[in-house]
Amino acid sequence: MTETEFALRTDGVGKRYRKGWALRDCTLSLPSGGVIALVGPNGAGKTTLLRLAVGLLAPSTGTVEVLGHDVTASTSQTLSRVGFLAQDHPLYKRFTVAEMLRFGQACNLRFDKGLAERRLAKLGIPLDSRVGTLSGGQQAQVALALALAKRPDLLVLDEPVASLDPLARHEFMQVLMGAVAEGGVTVLFSSHVVHELERVCDHLVVLNQGRVTLTGDIDTLLGEHRLLVGPRTATDLDRAGTVVQAVHSDRHTTVLVRDGALPAAPGWQAQPVALEDLVLAYLRRPAEPSVAVTSGVAV
Ligand SMILES: Nc1ncnc2c1ncn2[C@@H]1O[C@H](COP(=O)(O)OP(=O)(O)OP(=O)(O)O)[C@@H](O)[C@H]1O
């Protein structure tokens, strides 16, 4: 891949606030042209990473490249190609939707007001409504229409659906995926919601306690990981590759492995792993690098 085929690259990135490190040793290469999910629990460092990606924060260590350019040295021209939707969709509540669109147009060189108007008309959101009188789901849609009207090459969204009910969440993701399908925009979004990721994402980053514990193309990651199920007493897991997680019941052991072959002992079966289970297994692991990767049998 050439430089510009990566929407975002980070190399050894760390961010230290006064209280301590929010992000440590973060090295990522995220490809252009798809949907990337950034997943992690509260306080994992997701917002910090996204704010570094859009140039709102400077790294304490390492480098951040967005659309092939070092973000700390980026010109307004590069940053105008990046859209950012912060948590809670900040909008001026007293403005009408039309006024919000005029404001967006005044602030952005490449703003396509007609595109935003068409999107909102499709969703039945009146332009003369005051933003504060709209439902949470409608406000999220207005914020998304504004962000998309900027016609960004990279759109970064910080937990865009966290405050929405399941229906509004579904509608929001549908509009977002529609925009991706129309082409040209790479989407990077953070989320706590893991069960819908497989349907909407191409690439995954799992962040835990400020460290990247898993990253890659989702189909590749699912192909590399397997669940091995066998008798509880078995100890012969030498061929099992990297053990991500082992769960024991009275009679059985279930082991999630990466790049592992079936143990030679009788009674073992391999099963595919669902994306949600894969993510949860990585979130349950300690994030310290010294214990993050264990080869052989986990106890
Ligand atoms: N401006 C700040 N000043 C000091 N500490 C901060 C600041 N912003 C974040 N932190 C700390 O950095 C760590 C990571 O926070 P961050 O908001 O990036 O995590 P997050 O994964 O987005 O969390 P959440 O899901 O709760 O939004 C937390 O311990 C947080 O308290």
Side-chain angles (χ1 to χ4, degrees):
M1 279 192 183
T2 63
E3 295 297 301
T4 46
E5 282 176 279
F6 292 107
L8 178 69
R9 294 181 87 172
T10 64
D11 186 14
V13 165
K15 179 66 194 177
R16 192 188 172 108
Y17 295 114
R18 226 183 308 161
K19 276 195 298 181
W21 290 92
L23 205 63
R24 292 299 293 262
D25 200 20
C26 173
T27 298
L28 291 169
S29 294
L30 303 180
S32 292
V35 181
I36 306 150
L38 172 62
V39 180
N42 287 123
K46 301 182 296 297
T47 299
T48 300
L49 177 58
L50 297 183
R51 292 175 71 85
L52 286 163
V54 298
L56 287 172
L57 281 176
S60 311
T61 63
T63 54
V64 182
E65 251 179 38
V66 67
L67 303 169
H69 299 273
D70 185 329
V71 82
T72 50
S74 278
T75 58
S76 55
Q77 209 175 6
T78 304
L79 291 177
S80 74
R81 295 167 58 202
V82 181
F84 180 54
L85 190 50
Q87 240 168 340
D88 303 327
H89 326 112
L91 296 166
Y92 291 109
K93 302 283 192 275
R94 291 185 178 206
F95 278 25
T96 63
V97 176
E99 285 166 345
M100 256 338 298
L101 296 188
R102 280 204 294 280
F103 181 72
Q105 191 171 36
C107 296
N108 293 285
L109 293 172
R110 303 204 294 177
F111 197 81
D112 187 341
K113 187 149 105 28
L115 179 75
E117 285 168 351
R118 287 193 297 281
R119 283 190 187 289
L120 294 171
K122 243 186 183 172
L123 293 162
I125 298 175
L127 295 182
D128 58 358
S129 297
R130 291 215 180 272
V131 170
T133 66
L134 298 174
S135 71
Q138 288 174 320
Q139 290 188 29
Q141 292 287 4
V142 172
L144 179 61
L146 280 162
L148 288 169
K150 202 178 158 184
R151 289 204 175 274
D153 294 318
L154 172 63
L155 177 58
V156 177
L157 307 105
D158 193 0
E159 291 184 35
V161 294
S163 60
L164 303 183
D165 66 45
L167 189 62
R169 194 161 72 213
H170 183 76
E171 282 174 353
F172 185 95
M173 291 311 287
Q174 236 177 357
V175 172
L176 188 59
M177 293 309 121
V180 174
E182 284 165 23
V185 63
T186 303
V187 170
L188 167 61
F189 76 99
S190 63
S191 182
H192 289 124
V193 185
V194 269
H195 65 270
E196 287 167 357
L197 295 183
E198 198 161 357
R199 202 169 45 82
V200 295
C201 299
D202 308 297
H203 205 94
L204 177 72
V205 180
V206 178
L207 203 59
N208 202 4
Q209 296 170 31
R211 292 187 186 270
V212 175
T213 55
L214 182 70
T215 179
D217 172 82
I218 288 180
D219 291 338
T220 308
L221 290 174
L222 290 176
E224 286 173 354
H225 289 80
R226 296 196 295 171
L227 283 172
L228 306 181
V229 184
R232 172 77 165 97
T233 51
T235 53
D236 181 17
L237 282 171
D238 288 351
R239 302 194 306 158
T242 302
V243 174
V244 179
Q245 186 185 50
V247 178
H248 306 283
S249 69
D250 285 349
R251 299 177 58 189
H252 292 103
T253 293
T254 304
V255 192
L256 176 64
V257 296
R258 186 170 193 171
D259 296 326
L262 210 57
W268 283 87
Q269 286 182 338
Q271 297 170 4
V273 61
L275 185 63
E276 186 174 2
D277 295 331
L278 180 68
V279 171
L280 291 174
Y282 274 89
L283 289 179
R284 286 190 192 109
R285 304 178 85 199
E288 285 300 317
S290 53
V291 288
V293 177
T294 19
S295 283
V297 185
V299 287

Coordinates of all heavy atoms in Angstrom, one line a residue, residues 85-91 93 97 120 123 125 129-145 159-173:
L85 N -17.0 14.2 14.3 CA -18.3 14.3 15.0 C -18.0 13.9 16.5 O -17.8 12.7 16.7 CB -19.3 13.4 14.4 CG -20.8 13.6 14.8 CD1 -21.2 15.0 14.8 CD2 -21.7 12.8 13.9
A86 N -18.0 14.9 17.4 CA -17.6 14.6 18.8 C -18.8 13.9 19.5 O -19.9 13.9 19.0 CB -17.3 15.9 19.5
Q87 N -18.5 13.3 20.6 CA -19.5 12.7 21.4 C -20.7 13.6 21.7 O -20.4 14.8 21.8 CB -18.9 12.3 22.8 CG -18.9 10.8 23.0 CD -18.1 10.4 24.2 OE1 -17.2 11.1 24.6 NE2 -18.3 9.2 24.8
D88 N -21.9 13.2 21.8 CA -23.1 14.0 22.1 C -23.4 15.0 21.0 O -24.2 15.9 21.2 CB -22.9 14.7 23.4 CG -22.7 13.7 24.6 OD1 -23.2 12.6 24.5 OD2 -21.9 14.1 25.5
H89 N -22.9 14.8 19.8 CA -23.3 15.6 18.6 C -23.5 17.1 19.0 O -24.6 17.6 18.9 CB -24.6 15.1 18.0 CG -24.7 13.6 18.1 ND1 -25.6 13.0 18.9 CD2 -24.0 12.6 17.6 CE1 -25.5 11.7 18.9 NE2 -24.5 11.4 18.0
P90 N -22.5 17.8 19.3 CA -22.6 19.2 19.6 C -23.2 20.1 18.5 O -22.7 20.1 17.4 CB -21.2 19.7 20.0 CG -20.3 18.7 19.4 CD -21.0 17.4 19.2
L91 N -24.4 20.7 18.8 CA -25.1 21.6 17.9 C -25.5 22.8 18.6 O -25.7 22.7 19.9 CB -26.3 20.8 17.3 CG -26.1 19.6 16.4 CD1 -27.4 18.8 16.3 CD2 -25.5 19.9 15.1
K93 N -28.3 24.6 19.9 CA -29.7 24.1 20.2 C -30.8 25.2 19.8 O -31.9 24.9 19.5 CB -29.9 23.7 21.6 CG -29.0 22.6 22.1 CD -29.4 21.2 21.6 CE -28.7 20.1 22.3 NZ -27.4 19.7 21.7
V97 N -32.6 24.2 11.9 CA -31.7 23.3 11.1 C -31.1 24.1 10.0 O -29.9 23.9 9.7 CB -32.5 22.1 10.7 CG1 -31.7 21.2 9.8 CG2 -33.1 21.3 11.8
L120 N -31.6 15.4 4.8 CA -32.5 15.7 5.9 C -34.0 15.6 5.4 O -34.9 15.1 6.1 CB -32.2 17.1 6.5 CG -30.9 17.1 7.2 CD1 -30.5 18.5 7.6 CD2 -30.9 16.2 8.5
L123 N -35.2 12.1 5.4 CA -35.4 11.6 6.8 C -36.6 12.4 7.4 O -37.0 12.1 8.5 CB -34.2 11.9 7.7 CG -33.0 11.0 7.3 CD1 -31.7 11.6 7.9 CD2 -33.2 9.6 7.8
I125 N -36.9 15.5 8.3 CA -36.5 16.5 9.4 C -36.6 17.9 8.8 O -35.9 18.3 7.9 CB -35.0 16.2 9.8 CG1 -34.9 14.8 10.5 CG2 -34.6 17.3 10.8 CD1 -33.6 14.4 10.9
S129 N -37.2 23.7 11.9 CA -37.3 23.3 13.3 C -36.1 23.8 14.1 O -35.0 23.7 13.5 CB -37.3 21.7 13.4 OG -38.4 21.2 12.8
R130 N -36.3 24.2 15.3 CA -35.2 24.5 16.2 C -34.5 23.2 16.6 O -35.2 22.2 16.9 CB -35.6 25.2 17.4 CG -36.1 26.6 17.1 CD -35.8 27.7 18.1 NE -36.3 28.9 17.5 CZ -35.7 29.7 16.7 NH1 -34.4 29.5 16.4 NH2 -36.3 30.8 16.3
V131 N -33.2 23.1 16.6 CA -32.4 21.9 16.8 C -32.8 21.3 18.2 O -33.0 20.1 18.4 CB -30.9 22.2 16.8 CG1 -30.1 21.0 17.3 CG2 -30.5 22.5 15.3
G132 N -33.0 22.2 19.2 CA -33.3 21.8 20.6 C -34.7 21.1 20.7 O -34.9 20.4 21.7
T133 N -35.5 21.3 19.7 CA -36.9 20.6 19.8 C -36.9 19.3 19.1 O -37.9 18.6 19.1 CB -38.0 21.5 19.1 OG1 -37.7 21.6 17.7 CG2 -38.0 22.9 19.7
L134 N -35.8 18.9 18.5 CA -35.7 17.6 17.8 C -35.4 16.5 18.7 O -34.8 16.7 19.8 CB -34.7 17.6 16.7 CG -34.8 18.7 15.5 CD1 -33.6 18.7 14.6 CD2 -36.1 18.4 14.7
S135 N -35.8 15.3 18.4 CA -35.4 14.1 19.2 C -33.9 13.9 19.2 O -33.2 14.4 18.3 CB -36.2 12.9 18.7 OG -35.6 12.4 17.5
G136 N -33.4 13.1 20.1 CA -32.0 12.7 20.1 C -31.6 12.1 18.8 O -30.5 12.5 18.3
G137 N -32.4 11.2 18.3 CA -32.0 10.6 17.0 C -32.0 11.6 15.9 O -31.1 11.5 15.0
Q138 N -33.0 12.5 15.9 CA -33.0 13.5 14.8 C -31.8 14.5 14.9 O -31.2 14.8 13.9 CB -34.3 14.3 14.8 CG -35.5 13.5 14.4 CD -36.8 14.3 14.6 OE1 -37.0 15.0 15.6 NE2 -37.7 14.2 13.6
Q139 N -31.4 14.8 16.1 CA -30.2 15.7 16.3 C -29.0 15.0 15.8 O -28.1 15.6 15.2 CB -30.1 16.1 17.8 CG -31.2 17.0 18.2 CD -31.0 17.6 19.6 OE1 -29.8 17.7 20.1 NE2 -32.0 17.9 20.3
A140 N -28.9 13.7 16.1 CA -27.7 12.9 15.6 C -27.7 12.9 14.1 O -26.6 13.0 13.5 CB -27.8 11.5 16.2
Q141 N -28.9 12.8 13.5 CA -28.9 12.8 12.0 C -28.5 14.2 11.4 O -27.9 14.3 10.4 CB -30.4 12.5 11.5 CG -30.8 11.0 11.8 CD -30.1 10.0 10.9 OE1 -29.2 10.4 10.1 NE2 -30.4 8.7 11.0
V142 N -28.9 15.3 12.1 CA -28.5 16.6 11.7 C -27.0 16.7 11.8 O -26.3 17.2 10.8 CB -29.2 17.7 12.5 CG1 -28.6 19.1 12.2 CG2 -30.7 17.7 12.3
A143 N -26.4 16.3 12.9 CA -25.0 16.4 13.0 C -24.3 15.5 12.0 O -23.3 16.0 11.4 CB -24.6 15.9 14.4
L144 N -24.8 14.4 11.7 CA -24.2 13.5 10.6 C -24.3 14.2 9.3 O -23.4 14.1 8.5 CB -24.9 12.1 10.6 CG -24.4 11.1 9.6 CD1 -22.9 10.8 9.8 CD2 -25.2 9.8 9.7
A145 N -25.5 14.8 9.0 CA -25.7 15.4 7.7 C -24.7 16.6 7.5 O -24.1 16.8 6.4 CB -27.1 15.9 7.5
E159 N -18.2 7.7 19.4 CA -19.4 7.1 20.0 C -20.7 7.7 19.5 O -21.5 8.3 20.3 CB -19.3 7.1 21.5 CG -18.2 6.1 22.0 CD -18.1 6.0 23.5 OE1 -19.2 6.1 24.2 OE2 -17.0 5.8 24.0
P160 N -20.9 7.7 18.2 CA -22.0 8.4 17.6 C -23.4 7.9 18.0 O -24.3 8.6 18.0 CB -21.8 8.2 16.1 CG -21.0 7.0 15.9 CD -20.1 7.0 17.1
V161 N -23.4 6.6 18.4 CA -24.8 6.0 18.7 C -25.0 5.7 20.2 O -26.0 5.1 20.6 CB -25.0 4.7 17.8 CG1 -25.1 5.1 16.4 CG2 -23.9 3.7 18.1
A162 N -24.0 6.1 21.0 CA -24.1 5.7 22.4 C -25.3 6.2 23.1 O -25.9 5.5 23.9 CB -22.8 6.3 23.2
S163 N -25.8 7.4 22.7 CA -27.0 7.9 23.5 C -28.3 7.6 22.8 O -29.3 8.2 23.2 CB -26.8 9.4 23.6 OG -26.7 10.0 22.4
L164 N -28.3 6.8 21.7 CA -29.5 6.6 20.9 C -30.2 5.3 21.3 O -29.5 4.3 21.6 CB -29.1 6.6 19.4 CG -28.4 7.9 18.9 CD1 -28.2 7.8 17.4 CD2 -29.2 9.1 19.2
D165 N -31.5 5.3 21.1 CA -32.2 4.1 21.3 C -32.0 3.1 20.1 O -31.5 3.6 19.1 CB -33.7 4.3 21.6 CG -34.4 4.9 20.4 OD1 -34.2 4.4 19.2 OD2 -35.2 5.9 20.5
P166 N -32.3 1.8 20.3 CA -32.0 0.9 19.2 C -32.5 1.3 17.8 O -31.8 1.1 16.8 CB -32.6 -0.4 19.7 CG -32.7 -0.3 21.1 CD -32.9 1.2 21.4
L167 N -33.7 1.9 17.7 CA -34.2 2.2 16.4 C -33.4 3.4 15.8 O -33.0 3.4 14.6 CB -35.7 2.6 16.6 CG -36.5 2.8 15.3 CD1 -36.5 1.5 14.4 CD2 -37.9 3.3 15.6
A168 N -33.2 4.4 16.6 CA -32.4 5.6 16.2 C -31.0 5.2 15.8 O -30.4 5.7 14.8 CB -32.4 6.7 17.2
R169 N -30.5 4.2 16.6 CA -29.1 3.7 16.3 C -29.1 3.1 15.0 O -28.2 3.3 14.2 CB -28.7 2.7 17.4 CG -27.3 2.4 17.5 CD -26.9 1.9 18.8 NE -27.5 0.5 19.0 CZ -27.9 0.0 20.1 NH1 -27.8 0.7 21.2 NH2 -28.3 -1.2 20.2
H170 N -30.1 2.2 14.7 CA -30.1 1.5 13.4 C -30.2 2.5 12.3 O -29.5 2.4 11.3 CB -31.3 0.6 13.5 CG -31.5 -0.3 12.2 ND1 -30.6 -1.4 12.0 CD2 -32.3 -0.2 11.2 CE1 -31.0 -1.9 10.8 NE2 -31.9 -1.2 10.3
E171 N -31.1 3.5 12.4 CA -31.3 4.5 11.3 C -30.0 5.3 11.1 O -29.6 5.6 10.0 CB -32.5 5.5 11.7 CG -33.8 4.8 11.4 CD -35.0 5.7 11.9 OE1 -34.7 6.7 12.5 OE2 -36.1 5.2 11.7
F172 N -29.4 5.6 12.2 CA -28.1 6.4 12.1 C -27.1 5.6 11.3 O -26.4 6.1 10.4 CB -27.6 6.8 13.5 CG -26.4 7.6 13.5 CD1 -26.5 9.0 13.6 CD2 -25.1 7.1 13.3 CE1 -25.3 9.8 13.6 CE2 -24.0 7.9 13.3 CZ -24.1 9.3 13.5
M173 N -26.9 4.3 11.7 CA -25.9 3.5 11.0 C -26.3 3.2 9.6 O -25.4 3.2 8.7 CB -25.7 2.1 11.8 CG -25.1 2.3 13.2 SD -23.6 3.2 13.2 CE -22.4 2.2 12.4

